[in-house]
Amino acid sequence: MSHETVYSIASGKGGVGKTTTTVNLGTALAQAGKRVAIVDVDLGMANLAGFVSLTPDSTTLHDVLAGNEPVEDATYRLAENIVAVPSGIGLDEYAETSPEGLRDVVSELRSTYDYVLLDVGAGISHETILPLGLADAVVLVSTPEPAAIQDSRKTIELTARAGGTVAGLVLTRTHPGSDISHPDLADRLDLPLLETIPEDSAARESVYAGTPLVAYEPNGPAATAYRHLAAELAGIELDEDDEADTTGEPGEPESTDTDTATAEHTDATENEDGDDSGSTAETTATDDISSAITEAESDH
């Protein structure tokens, strides 16, 4: 699947771990040395804004889609190799957006980054369906619960209507001792099972620590599964020896003496030496990081 570089991370219903999957998949790819952009395309109910500690006058995807700002001005660095393009949180700004502008945004980011992950909102609307057709493939996220699986069928149908394809299914919050057959669930949806993400107590701890799970508890079962998913999608092999060595891992958010993560606003382009071009302005991401993931997982 290494030829596919733009993925929409989607789900049929809320609360299944879609944003957590987006963040951890992106971070795992960044840890592997890939340049990654994660984009909050849930224009009405933004989840990623807290990751970059936006101020009221910060530039967001809303400004870009309103035709007021270039996408590089709405791009914020999370850690080494990974940036976020958040949507705004104001209803007035949302009302001025044109979802059709996502085509140009995705095209520009595709030319700059190795991987672009689109965090798609749940539900059925034009702005939800559009990203399903813009991506090279859709990664469908669900829990093993019957209602979540049933709603996944709707997302598969919507993807087909949007002209997109589904790469496969990721099942989250799974239990190894369960009598539920995960491959059978994927077969019912006529999809390959990309990965199962086991229930992991470290996942919630990482939320409150404001750090992606793959950096917070890199050797835990869920973090390991997310790295396997990244390897599957990127077509790369995992070095098991490197997995155990977390010293100086790329993708781990920087921290200050008060243990807050640092997000850096950066231009979307890089020069030939790999340095950021243009000026950067540093902002401090506080507990908003944790609340952003918490909100996402409760899904509005």
Side-chain angles (χ1 to χ4, degrees):
M1 298 181 184
S2 57
H3 63 289
E4 296 169 342
T5 61
V6 179
Y7 289 96
S8 282
I9 315 300
S11 64
K13 70 184 297 293
V16 299
K18 173 175 55 62
T19 296
T20 293
T21 296
T22 303
V23 172
N24 281 283
L25 173 59
T27 303
L29 288 168
Q31 289 175 335
K34 305 299 183 181
R35 294 172 302 162
V36 181
I38 59 176
V39 187
D40 189 350
V41 296
D42 188 351
L43 302 180
M45 301 291 285
N47 294 322
L48 294 178
F51 278 77
V52 293
S53 190
L54 295 180
T55 59
D57 59 347
S58 295
T59 302
T60 70
L61 184 60
H62 283 177
D63 299 301
V64 178
L65 297 182
N68 298 325
E69 302 290 348
V71 67
E72 57 263 28
D73 285 355
T75 303
Y76 299 80
R77 184 166 300 282
L78 299 181
E80 186 175 358
N81 293 332
I82 184 168
V83 302
V85 181
S87 282
I89 57 177
L91 292 179
D92 290 340
E93 291 81 1
Y94 165 68
E96 297 177 1
T97 62
S98 173
E100 291 297 330
L102 283 172
R103 298 180 185 277
D104 292 335
V105 170
V106 170
S107 178
E108 185 169 342
L109 292 174
R110 181 196 293 273
S111 68
T112 305
Y113 295 93
D114 298 320
Y115 288 92
V116 179
L117 306 181
L118 308 178
D119 188 11
V120 182
I124 300 176
S125 66
H126 177 60
E127 66 191 46
T128 298
I129 298 173
L130 180 61
L132 301 177
L134 293 180
D136 295 329
V138 173
V139 173
L140 185 58
V141 181
S142 177
T143 63
E145 299 301 319
I149 294 297
Q150 182 60 40
D151 283 348
S152 293
R153 297 181 187 277
K154 300 174 186 176
T155 303
I156 294 171
E157 181 180 347
L158 290 173
T159 300
R161 293 189 179 190
T165 59
V166 179
L169 176 68
V170 173
L171 287 174
T172 62
R173 299 172 187 162
T174 62
H175 297 273
S178 171
D179 58 358
I180 298 174
S181 170
H182 301 141
D184 283 352
L185 291 180
D187 287 344
R188 290 180 196 175
L189 296 174
D190 197 22
L191 292 176
L193 181 60
L194 296 177
E195 191 60 59
T196 59
I197 313 296
E199 188 73 63
D200 189 339
S201 60
R204 181 162 293 276
E205 295 171 13
S206 72
V207 169
Y208 290 105
T211 305
L213 181 61
V214 293
Y216 178 81
E217 188 65 45
N219 295 319
T224 299
Y226 278 124
R227 284 199 304 276
H228 286 162
L229 175 60
E232 167 73 11
L233 294 180
I236 58 179
E237 292 187 9
L238 290 175
D239 187 332
E240 298 298 331
D241 291 334
D242 288 346
E243 284 188 25
D245 180 11
T246 61
T247 304
E249 274 192 354
E252 183 170 354
E254 300 173 6
S255 61
T256 66
D257 292 338
T258 57
D259 197 30
T260 56
T262 298
E264 187 177 281
H265 183 210
T266 178
D267 288 339
T269 56
E270 296 182 353
N271 61 27
E272 294 179 353
D273 294 328
D275 296 329
D276 296 337
S277 64
S279 62
T280 60
E282 212 172 73
T283 59
T284 301
T286 59
D287 291 341
D288 287 341
I289 296 177
S290 298
S291 62
I293 308 180
T294 303
E295 274 187 41
E297 291 315 292
S298 62
D299 238 328
H300 330 318

mmCIF file of all heavy atoms in Angstrom, residues 237-265:
data_model
loop_
_atom_site.group_PDB
_atom_site.id
_atom_site.type_symbol
_atom_site.label_atom_id
_atom_site.label_comp_id
_atom_site.label_asym_id
_atom_site.label_seq_id
_atom_site.Cartn_x
_atom_site.Cartn_y
_atom_site.Cartn_z
ATOM 1 N N GLU A 237 9.150 -2.250 6.948
ATOM 2 C CA GLU A 237 9.357 -3.310 7.927
ATOM 3 C C GLU A 237 9.729 -2.702 9.262
ATOM 4 O O GLU A 237 10.494 -1.747 9.329
ATOM 5 C CB GLU A 237 10.455 -4.271 7.462
ATOM 6 C CG GLU A 237 10.072 -5.092 6.242
ATOM 7 C CD GLU A 237 11.124 -6.140 5.918
ATOM 8 O OE1 GLU A 237 12.047 -6.320 6.739
ATOM 9 O OE2 GLU A 237 11.013 -6.760 4.849
ATOM 10 N N LEU A 238 9.178 -3.274 10.318
ATOM 11 C CA LEU A 238 9.508 -2.820 11.662
ATOM 12 C C LEU A 238 10.794 -3.472 12.128
ATOM 13 O O LEU A 238 11.014 -4.655 11.913
ATOM 14 C CB LEU A 238 8.387 -3.180 12.641
ATOM 15 C CG LEU A 238 7.068 -2.429 12.496
ATOM 16 C CD1 LEU A 238 6.054 -3.022 13.464
ATOM 17 C CD2 LEU A 238 7.256 -0.963 12.780
ATOM 18 N N ASP A 239 11.641 -2.689 12.762
ATOM 19 C CA ASP A 239 12.841 -3.207 13.405
ATOM 20 C C ASP A 239 12.499 -3.419 14.864
ATOM 21 O O ASP A 239 12.379 -2.472 15.634
ATOM 22 C CB ASP A 239 14.000 -2.210 13.261
ATOM 23 C CG ASP A 239 15.317 -2.777 13.761
ATOM 24 O OD1 ASP A 239 15.273 -3.644 14.654
ATOM 25 O OD2 ASP A 239 16.376 -2.340 13.274
ATOM 26 N N GLU A 240 12.312 -4.679 15.253
ATOM 27 C CA GLU A 240 11.874 -4.972 16.615
ATOM 28 C C GLU A 240 12.861 -4.461 17.652
ATOM 29 O O GLU A 240 12.493 -4.069 18.752
ATOM 30 C CB GLU A 240 11.673 -6.479 16.791
ATOM 31 C CG GLU A 240 10.595 -7.060 15.892
ATOM 32 C CD GLU A 240 9.232 -6.477 16.160
ATOM 33 O OE1 GLU A 240 8.970 -6.076 17.307
ATOM 34 O OE2 GLU A 240 8.422 -6.386 15.219
ATOM 35 N N ASP A 241 14.163 -4.467 17.328
ATOM 36 C CA ASP A 241 15.154 -3.966 18.271
ATOM 37 C C ASP A 241 14.967 -2.478 18.510
ATOM 38 O O ASP A 241 15.081 -1.982 19.620
ATOM 39 C CB ASP A 241 16.578 -4.220 17.755
ATOM 40 C CG ASP A 241 16.912 -5.703 17.770
ATOM 41 O OD1 ASP A 241 16.313 -6.431 18.580
ATOM 42 O OD2 ASP A 241 17.773 -6.125 16.967
ATOM 43 N N ASP A 242 14.645 -1.751 17.423
ATOM 44 C CA ASP A 242 14.450 -0.312 17.538
ATOM 45 C C ASP A 242 13.182 0.015 18.325
ATOM 46 O O ASP A 242 13.080 1.055 18.955
ATOM 47 C CB ASP A 242 14.360 0.337 16.148
ATOM 48 C CG ASP A 242 15.710 0.370 15.465
ATOM 49 O OD1 ASP A 242 16.720 0.145 16.161
ATOM 50 O OD2 ASP A 242 15.743 0.594 14.239
ATOM 51 N N GLU A 243 12.196 -0.890 18.277
ATOM 52 C CA GLU A 243 10.949 -0.630 18.982
ATOM 53 C C GLU A 243 11.177 -0.498 20.479
ATOM 54 O O GLU A 243 10.505 0.260 21.161
ATOM 55 C CB GLU A 243 9.956 -1.770 18.736
ATOM 56 C CG GLU A 243 9.324 -1.719 17.352
ATOM 57 C CD GLU A 243 8.222 -2.721 17.227
ATOM 58 O OE1 GLU A 243 7.642 -3.103 18.268
ATOM 59 O OE2 GLU A 243 7.915 -3.137 16.101
ATOM 60 N N ALA A 244 12.142 -1.242 20.993
ATOM 61 C CA ALA A 244 12.385 -1.206 22.426
ATOM 62 C C ALA A 244 13.231 -0.022 22.848
ATOM 63 O O ALA A 244 13.309 0.322 24.013
ATOM 64 C CB ALA A 244 13.078 -2.499 22.871
ATOM 65 N N ASP A 245 13.876 0.643 21.890
ATOM 66 C CA ASP A 245 14.745 1.777 22.193
ATOM 67 C C ASP A 245 13.980 3.057 21.957
ATOM 68 O O ASP A 245 13.753 3.457 20.826
ATOM 69 C CB ASP A 245 15.997 1.732 21.303
ATOM 70 C CG ASP A 245 16.927 2.900 21.581
ATOM 71 O OD1 ASP A 245 16.701 3.601 22.585
ATOM 72 O OD2 ASP A 245 17.882 3.090 20.799
ATOM 73 N N THR A 246 13.560 3.709 23.014
ATOM 74 C CA THR A 246 12.733 4.910 22.887
ATOM 75 C C THR A 246 13.525 6.174 23.124
ATOM 76 O O THR A 246 12.970 7.264 23.166
ATOM 77 C CB THR A 246 11.564 4.865 23.893
ATOM 78 O OG1 THR A 246 12.099 4.809 25.217
ATOM 79 C CG2 THR A 246 10.692 3.645 23.649
ATOM 80 N N THR A 247 14.854 6.073 23.300
ATOM 81 C CA THR A 247 15.666 7.250 23.580
ATOM 82 C C THR A 247 15.696 8.162 22.368
ATOM 83 O O THR A 247 16.118 7.759 21.293
ATOM 84 C CB THR A 247 17.107 6.836 23.936
ATOM 85 O OG1 THR A 247 17.052 5.926 25.031
ATOM 86 C CG2 THR A 247 17.927 8.040 24.305
ATOM 87 N N GLY A 248 15.240 9.389 22.560
ATOM 88 C CA GLY A 248 15.293 10.368 21.478
ATOM 89 C C GLY A 248 14.434 10.004 20.296
ATOM 90 O O GLY A 248 14.758 10.332 19.169
ATOM 91 N N GLU A 249 13.326 9.282 20.532
ATOM 92 C CA GLU A 249 12.471 8.909 19.423
ATOM 93 C C GLU A 249 11.899 10.130 18.744
ATOM 94 O O GLU A 249 11.368 11.011 19.383
ATOM 95 C CB GLU A 249 11.297 8.060 19.928
ATOM 96 C CG GLU A 249 11.613 6.601 20.038
ATOM 97 C CD GLU A 249 10.358 5.792 20.251
ATOM 98 O OE1 GLU A 249 9.286 6.402 20.427
ATOM 99 O OE2 GLU A 249 10.433 4.570 20.230
ATOM 100 N N PRO A 250 12.011 10.183 17.394
ATOM 101 C CA PRO A 250 11.329 11.279 16.712
ATOM 102 C C PRO A 250 9.831 11.139 16.890
ATOM 103 O O PRO A 250 9.321 10.030 17.027
ATOM 104 C CB PRO A 250 11.733 11.097 15.240
ATOM 105 C CG PRO A 250 12.331 9.753 15.129
ATOM 106 C CD PRO A 250 12.702 9.288 16.489
ATOM 107 N N GLY A 251 9.132 12.261 16.879
ATOM 108 C CA GLY A 251 7.685 12.251 17.010
ATOM 109 C C GLY A 251 7.219 12.467 18.429
ATOM 110 O O GLY A 251 6.064 12.744 18.661
ATOM 111 N N GLU A 252 8.137 12.348 19.427
ATOM 112 C CA GLU A 252 7.723 12.577 20.803
ATOM 113 C C GLU A 252 7.677 14.069 21.067
ATOM 114 O O GLU A 252 8.636 14.781 20.810
ATOM 115 C CB GLU A 252 8.702 11.903 21.767
ATOM 116 C CG GLU A 252 8.261 12.045 23.219
ATOM 117 C CD GLU A 252 9.087 11.182 24.147
ATOM 118 O OE1 GLU A 252 9.912 10.412 23.632
ATOM 119 O OE2 GLU A 252 8.915 11.297 25.360
ATOM 120 N N PRO A 253 6.547 14.592 21.528
ATOM 121 C CA PRO A 253 6.439 16.028 21.719
ATOM 122 C C PRO A 253 7.498 16.547 22.680
ATOM 123 O O PRO A 253 7.827 15.907 23.676
ATOM 124 C CB PRO A 253 5.033 16.190 22.319
ATOM 125 C CG PRO A 253 4.307 14.964 21.901
ATOM 126 C CD PRO A 253 5.320 13.880 21.847
ATOM 127 N N GLU A 254 8.030 17.721 22.361
ATOM 128 C CA GLU A 254 8.974 18.357 23.253
ATOM 129 C C GLU A 254 8.244 18.771 24.526
ATOM 130 O O GLU A 254 7.046 18.958 24.548
ATOM 131 C CB GLU A 254 9.564 19.607 22.584
ATOM 132 C CG GLU A 254 10.289 19.304 21.287
ATOM 133 C CD GLU A 254 10.693 20.581 20.587
ATOM 134 O OE1 GLU A 254 10.516 21.667 21.172
ATOM 135 O OE2 GLU A 254 11.185 20.499 19.460
ATOM 136 N N SER A 255 8.974 18.946 25.625
ATOM 137 C CA SER A 255 8.326 19.384 26.852
ATOM 138 C C SER A 255 9.178 20.422 27.549
ATOM 139 O O SER A 255 10.384 20.494 27.343
ATOM 140 C CB SER A 255 8.090 18.190 27.792
ATOM 141 O OG SER A 255 9.324 17.603 28.146
ATOM 142 N N THR A 256 8.522 21.233 28.363
ATOM 143 C CA THR A 256 9.218 22.243 29.134
ATOM 144 C C THR A 256 9.379 21.742 30.551
ATOM 145 O O THR A 256 9.017 20.611 30.878
ATOM 146 C CB THR A 256 8.398 23.549 29.152
ATOM 147 O OG1 THR A 256 7.190 23.302 29.872
ATOM 148 C CG2 THR A 256 8.083 24.011 27.748
ATOM 149 N N ASP A 257 9.898 22.580 31.449
ATOM 150 C CA ASP A 257 10.079 22.177 32.835
ATOM 151 C C ASP A 257 8.758 21.862 33.512
ATOM 152 O O ASP A 257 8.704 21.144 34.501
ATOM 153 C CB ASP A 257 10.810 23.271 33.623
ATOM 154 C CG ASP A 257 12.244 23.422 33.165
ATOM 155 O OD1 ASP A 257 12.779 22.462 32.575
ATOM 156 O OD2 ASP A 257 12.808 24.492 33.406
ATOM 157 N N THR A 258 7.677 22.400 32.987
ATOM 158 C CA THR A 258 6.363 22.125 33.565
ATOM 159 C C THR A 258 5.664 20.993 32.837
ATOM 160 O O THR A 258 4.479 20.774 32.987
ATOM 161 C CB THR A 258 5.476 23.393 33.508
ATOM 162 O OG1 THR A 258 5.387 23.825 32.152
ATOM 163 C CG2 THR A 258 6.053 24.487 34.371
ATOM 164 N N ASP A 259 6.437 20.281 32.007
ATOM 165 C CA ASP A 259 5.939 19.093 31.326
ATOM 166 C C ASP A 259 4.750 19.395 30.422
ATOM 167 O O ASP A 259 3.788 18.650 30.361
ATOM 168 C CB ASP A 259 5.536 18.018 32.336
ATOM 169 C CG ASP A 259 5.427 16.656 31.668
ATOM 170 O OD1 ASP A 259 6.157 16.429 30.686
ATOM 171 O OD2 ASP A 259 4.614 15.838 32.113
ATOM 172 N N THR A 260 4.834 20.518 29.692
ATOM 173 C CA THR A 260 3.828 20.819 28.688
ATOM 174 C C THR A 260 4.404 20.548 27.323
ATOM 175 O O THR A 260 5.583 20.720 27.091
ATOM 176 C CB THR A 260 3.386 22.306 28.757
ATOM 177 O OG1 THR A 260 4.536 23.128 28.631
ATOM 178 C CG2 THR A 260 2.683 22.586 30.076
ATOM 179 N N ALA A 261 3.534 20.102 26.405
ATOM 180 C CA ALA A 261 4.002 19.808 25.054
ATOM 181 C C ALA A 261 4.147 21.095 24.277
ATOM 182 O O ALA A 261 3.492 22.089 24.556
ATOM 183 C CB ALA A 261 2.997 18.886 24.356
ATOM 184 N N THR A 262 5.018 21.119 23.271
ATOM 185 C CA THR A 262 5.257 22.300 22.472
ATOM 186 C C THR A 262 4.799 22.080 21.055
ATOM 187 O O THR A 262 5.119 21.072 20.452
ATOM 188 C CB THR A 262 6.759 22.647 22.445
ATOM 189 O OG1 THR A 262 7.159 22.919 23.777
ATOM 190 C CG2 THR A 262 7.022 23.866 21.583
ATOM 191 N N ALA A 263 4.028 23.026 20.545
ATOM 192 C CA ALA A 263 3.597 22.975 19.157
ATOM 193 C C ALA A 263 4.148 24.188 18.451
ATOM 194 O O ALA A 263 4.128 25.283 18.980
ATOM 195 C CB ALA A 263 2.068 22.975 19.079
ATOM 196 N N GLU A 264 4.643 24.004 17.257
ATOM 197 C CA GLU A 264 5.299 25.085 16.547
ATOM 198 C C GLU A 264 4.584 25.368 15.240
ATOM 199 O O GLU A 264 4.323 24.463 14.450
ATOM 200 C CB GLU A 264 6.749 24.658 16.256
ATOM 201 C CG GLU A 264 7.612 25.747 15.656
ATOM 202 C CD GLU A 264 9.030 25.239 15.491
ATOM 203 O OE1 GLU A 264 9.761 25.200 16.474
ATOM 204 O OE2 GLU A 264 9.371 24.865 14.359
ATOM 205 N N HIS A 265 4.211 26.620 15.031
ATOM 206 C CA HIS A 265 3.550 27.017 13.797
ATOM 207 C C HIS A 265 4.620 27.161 12.738
ATOM 208 O O HIS A 265 5.604 27.851 12.934
ATOM 209 C CB HIS A 265 2.833 28.352 14.013
ATOM 210 C CG HIS A 265 2.055 28.804 12.822
ATOM 211 N ND1 HIS A 265 1.842 30.117 12.539
ATOM 212 C CD2 HIS A 265 1.452 28.111 11.835
ATOM 213 C CE1 HIS A 265 1.124 30.229 11.444
ATOM 214 N NE2 HIS A 265 0.876 29.019 11.004
#
